[in-house]
Amino acid sequence: MPPKAGAQGRNGQQSKPSKMTLGDFMVRAAPSVAVGSTAPPPQNSAPVLGGYRVHGTKKGSIPLSTESRAKGKKVTVLRNVDGDMQALLKDLKESLGTGGLAHENGTELEIQGEHEDRIAAFLKKKGCLVGVKGCGKAAEPPPKLKPKAAPSAPAVPPTPVAVATPDSKDQ
C-alpha cells in the first residue's frame, strides 16, 4: 500500500505525492459548476449571435489567411472560431456558394477558394467579431485641437539703420 501524500517517509522527509494523470488534473482544476446551472456568462464574452463568434488576432485583425493546397487549389482559413462551428460553416457556405470543412482541432474552418474580403464582410455584417479593430461600437474621434497661432509679426516694420563703414566717404 503506497504512503499517503504528505506522509513522512523513513528519513523523516515527506514522500512524493502520487502521480496525477492529465484527466485527474482536469477534473480537479475544472470549476465546480453544476451541469444545467444558470451561471452567468464570463464578463469578457460578447453576446453570441448565431451561436458562434470569431476572436481577433493579437494585433486586432480578423484571423483570415489564404493557403495553397495540392494541385494549386486555394483555400481560405478562418481561425479562432468559438461556439457552433457547424452553424458558421453552413452560413458561410450558403453565403459564398462554395464548399468547406471544419477542422478537428475545433477552432478552424476552411472555405474553398480565395474569399478573404467576402468572409470579412460577412462576419462584420453578422456582428460576431470579438476583439477586432474597427468592429463593434465606433469610438468617438478625439477632440480637435486648435492650431497654435504663429508668432505675430510686429505691427510696424523696423526702420533700416544706416551703418557707416570705413570705406565710405561723405561727398
Side-chain angles (χ1 to χ4, degrees):
M1 185 162 155
K4 293 184 180 177
Q8 290 189 354
R10 294 182 195 166
N11 301 349
Q13 298 175 349
Q14 288 189 348
S15 62
K16 293 181 182 177
S18 62
K19 292 192 177 195
M20 183 183 296
T21 64
L22 179 61
D24 294 337
F25 176 76
M26 295 302 288
V27 169
R28 290 182 187 173
S32 58
V33 177
V35 176
S37 70
T38 57
Q43 294 294 332
N44 61 354
S45 66
V48 179
L49 301 174
Y52 49 81
R53 39 181 190 204
V54 178
H55 297 273
T57 63
K58 289 181 180 180
K59 292 186 177 182
S61 62
I62 300 173
L64 279 171
S65 63
T66 303
E67 298 178 0
S68 295
R69 294 291 186 251
K71 298 182 182 180
K73 304 292 182 182
K74 301 280 187 182
V75 295
T76 304
V77 180
L78 175 63
R79 293 179 170 84
N80 301 342
V81 178
D82 186 21
D84 189 3
M85 287 183 43
Q86 294 301 324
L88 175 58
L89 180 63
K90 179 182 174 195
D91 290 348
L92 280 171
K93 286 169 40 175
E94 287 176 2
S95 174
L96 302 172
T98 63
L101 64 101
H103 276 277
E104 295 294 322
N105 65 8
T107 61
E108 289 184 3
L109 295 178
E110 270 188 22
I111 303 294
Q112 295 173 356
E114 296 182 72
H115 301 287
E116 286 188 31
D117 296 335
R118 294 176 69 192
I119 292 173
F122 173 85
L123 295 172
K124 286 178 184 177
K125 180 181 171 188
K126 284 287 191 175
C128 61
L129 294 171
V130 178
V132 175
K133 292 179 184 176
C135 295
K137 185 178 178 184
E140 294 181 17
K144 292 187 178 182
L145 300 175
K146 293 181 181 178
K148 290 184 177 181
S152 60
V156 179
T159 57
V161 178
V163 178
T165 60
D167 293 340
S168 65
K169 295 181 181 177
D170 291 333
Q171 292 180 357

